[in-house]
């Protein structure tokens, strides 16, 4: 009996040491924050806290396209990260962009710093291009898991169905082709870097609404990050 208790305490310890803050940037509907938290909680051993809303920083606004530069939002999130934060997930409803190859300002759904502290997600493209709420939430959850994977040290992955697939500029198609989970190869990479951080596979699916069909041209993707 005693040894069982000890084992339980040890097993619970790592999650308590890892706190991830979900930071709403500007006005974000609470339901979206919960979708993000649920998707990550099902996959990652950590405590996920929803932080207070922060104003979108003016210095990240790119006036010519009326949207926010994702890499500047990441810098902003890093600049006053809580001391106990292991990772930070910024979430906004505003359009975001970054530089993709020769295109200076490319609209994206998310950007994650590989092996870094923070990532940022936007619901903007999915809200605009999803016909159902269900599809929008599934796609949004998928990109949350993807960008968080970058902060866990993962780069893009060629394995079919892996959530870390390169969107290649097609945010909707990529989310719909994804299983929503890290593949075996990616899981092993994360395990080497941060043992025990991923929960066992077979997390609950991200929801329905995959492949609802597209009536609009593919919007720009989640980008190089
Ligand atoms: Zn993979
Ligand atoms: Zn990526």
């Amino acid at each position: 009996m005693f040894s069982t208790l000890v084992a339980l305490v040890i097993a619970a310890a790592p999650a308590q040491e890892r706190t991830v803050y979900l930071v709403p940037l500007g006005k974000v509907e609470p339901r979206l924050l919960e979708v993000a938290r649920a998707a990550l909680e099902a996959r990652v051993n950590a405590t996920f806290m929803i932080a207070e809303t922060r104003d979108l920083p003016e210095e990240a606004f790119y006036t010519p396209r009326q949207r926010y530069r994702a890499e500047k939002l990441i810098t902003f999130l890093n600049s006053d990260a809580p001391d106990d934060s292991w990772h930070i997930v910024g979430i906004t409803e505003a359009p975001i962009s970054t530089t993709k190859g020769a295109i200076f300002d490319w609209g994206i759904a998310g950007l994650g710093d590989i092996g870094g502290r923070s990532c940022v997600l936007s619901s903007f493209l999915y809200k605009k291009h999803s016909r159902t709420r269900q599809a929008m939430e599934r796609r949004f959850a998928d990109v949350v898991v993807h960008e968080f994977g970058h902060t866990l040290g993962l780069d893009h992955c060629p394995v079919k169905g892996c959530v870390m697939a390169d969107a290649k500029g097609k945010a909707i198609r990529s989310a719909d082709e994804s299983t929503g989970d890290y593949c075996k190869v990616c899981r092993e990479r994360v395990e080497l870097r941060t043992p025990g951080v991923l929960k066992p596979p077979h997390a609950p699916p991200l929801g329905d609404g995959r492949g609802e069909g597209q009536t609009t041209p593919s919007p720009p993707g989640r980008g190089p990050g």
Side-chain angles (χ1 to χ4, degrees):
M1 186 61 201
F2 179 72
S3 61
T4 307
L5 277 177
V6 170
L8 282 175
V9 168
I10 291 169
Q16 286 163 0
E17 291 164 13
R18 298 186 191 113
T19 303
V20 178
Y21 288 91
L22 280 72
V23 180
L25 296 169
K27 193 168 158 38
V28 177
E29 57 163 305
R31 165 76 193 165
L32 266 189
L33 301 172
E34 287 306 330
V35 166
R37 170 150 72 179
L40 291 173
E41 243 170 19
R43 290 163 178 79
V44 180
N45 275 312
T47 303
F48 291 89
M49 311 275 283
I50 293 176
E52 278 190 24
T53 299
R54 308 285 312 272
D55 288 337
L56 279 152
E58 265 175 50
E59 69 267 22
F61 193 62
Y62 183 59
T63 312
R65 300 298 299 272
Q66 297 288 298
R67 54 194 183 188
Y68 290 85
R69 296 286 297 183
E71 70 282 354
K72 291 191 177 173
L73 294 178
I74 286 178
T75 303
F76 171 73
L77 291 168
N78 286 337
S79 69
D80 65 349
D83 288 343
D84 65 338
S85 60
W86 173 52
H87 285 299
I88 305 214
V89 178
I91 297 177
T92 185
E93 305 249 20
I96 62 172
S97 59
T98 195
T99 298
K100 183 175 170 65
I103 299 166
F104 176 71
D105 198 68
W106 183 267
I108 54 172
L111 186 72
D113 191 5
I114 294 176
R117 193 196 288 260
S118 302
C119 59
V120 65
L121 295 314
S122 164
S123 64
F124 182 82
L125 288 176
Y126 295 131
K127 282 198 168 175
K128 190 172 172 189
H129 295 283
S130 301
R131 277 191 283 171
T132 64
R133 175 80 200 188
Q134 233 180 3
M136 185 278 287
E137 287 189 2
R138 187 194 176 279
R139 290 161 171 171
F140 180 71
D142 186 85
V143 79
V144 170
V145 176
H146 177 99
E147 302 307 343
F148 194 78
H150 282 318
T151 69
L152 293 175
L154 293 173
D155 205 335
H156 289 146
C157 172
V159 174
K160 195 170 161 42
C162 179
V163 72
M164 294 311 296
D166 185 350
K168 298 204 171 112
K170 310 279 186 202
I172 301 275
R173 191 178 69 195
S174 175
D176 289 353
E177 287 173 357
S178 163
T179 60
D181 267 309
Y182 307 111
C183 75
K184 194 163 172 288
V185 181
C186 284
R187 296 187 69 87
E188 285 169 3
R189 288 213 175 108
V190 174
E191 180 63 24
L192 276 176
R193 192 172 182 269
T194 319
V197 71
L198 290 184
K199 290 186 175 173
H202 315 302
L206 296 172
D208 297 324
R210 187 197 305 232
E212 61 168 16
Q214 262 177 264
T215 52
T216 49
S218 293
R222 54 193 170 203

